[in-house]
Amino acid sequence: MNSTASPYRIITVCTGNICRSPMAEFMLADALRAAGLAEHVLVDSAGTTSYEVGRPIDPRAARVLDAHGLGSHTHIARQFEPAWYSERELILALDVDHYGHLREQAPLGAAEKVRMLREFDPAVAHLYHLDQGIEDPWFGDQGDFETTWRLIAASVPGIIAHVRRELATLGLAVDA
């Protein structure tokens, strides 16, 4: 973080920023609000490509979020910008190709900010990164989007715990 007054920033990243990464963004933002951390942490999302820039969230992803009370109608897809390596404390890749791309493109000293989102899921945290990805539901049906929800949701508590530890190292007292 740049200073203790700056928020801790997380970005979730997938391919086009219309399915997995916006789902993770909205789910994390909601969990951070529920944990009382919203004033200290900001979450956004992006894609590694420009394929979907300017488009709204995939309607199937929106249906899953809506079913869980998370409106996503404001989302507009965008591409990850290199400047964000220095502006984000945690860069969460949704699949192994995003992880590899982000780490490869990272400037010196920033690659360690790039983590697999599912590293924070205790059921798979011990696995190699190649086994921690979330497949693109875009090619599937509504059930694949429900699976994506479940996989992201399993990682959210671990991410919240990680953020609490990070904030504590910065001297910010946040209740558990």
Side-chain angles (χ1 to χ4, degrees):
M1 288 179 53
N2 299 330
S3 74
T4 55
S6 298
Y8 185 90
R9 301 224 30 204
I10 301 170
I11 190 164
T12 60
V13 183
C14 69
T15 304
N17 191 222
I18 61 167
C19 298
R20 293 168 287 181
S21 60
M23 288 178 74
E25 173 190 353
F26 286 101
M27 292 168 73
L28 275 172
D30 184 61
L32 289 161
R33 275 190 297 280
L37 299 173
E39 71 180 79
H40 301 291
V41 185
L42 297 176
V43 183
D44 59 353
S45 65
T48 57
T49 69
S50 63
Y51 300 157
E52 305 289 349
V53 168
R55 295 181 190 263
I57 192 168
D58 184 288
R60 296 165 295 177
R63 278 194 293 274
V64 172
L65 291 170
D66 286 344
H68 292 277
L70 302 177
S72 58
H73 64 279
T74 60
H75 178 76
I76 301 295
R78 61 196 186 141
Q79 186 174 6
F80 187 88
E81 296 183 15
W84 295 344
Y85 282 106
S86 65
E87 298 172 4
R88 306 298 189 280
E89 283 69 45
L90 183 58
I91 301 168
L92 295 173
L94 275 286
D95 207 350
V96 296
D97 53 336
H98 314 126
Y99 178 80
H101 173 83
L102 290 163
R103 288 185 63 91
E104 182 180 288
Q105 299 299 315
L108 187 63
E112 66 273 2
K113 292 179 176 187
V114 179
R115 308 273 299 270
M116 288 291 289
L117 181 127
R118 291 194 69 211
E119 283 183 48
F120 297 95
D121 176 351
V124 297
H126 65 285
L127 298 176
Y128 185 64
H129 289 84
L130 290 175
D131 298 316
Q132 293 176 333
I134 299 175
E135 291 184 27
D136 195 343
W138 190 85
F139 298 101
D141 59 20
Q142 192 65 41
D144 294 298
F145 286 83
E146 294 289 345
T147 298
T148 298
W149 171 276
R150 287 190 299 277
L151 295 175
I152 294 169
S155 301
V156 168
I159 296 168
I160 299 296
H162 173 79
V163 168
R164 284 189 190 284
R165 288 189 300 273
E166 291 289 300
L167 293 175
T169 65
L170 298 168
L172 294 172
V174 289
D175 297 327

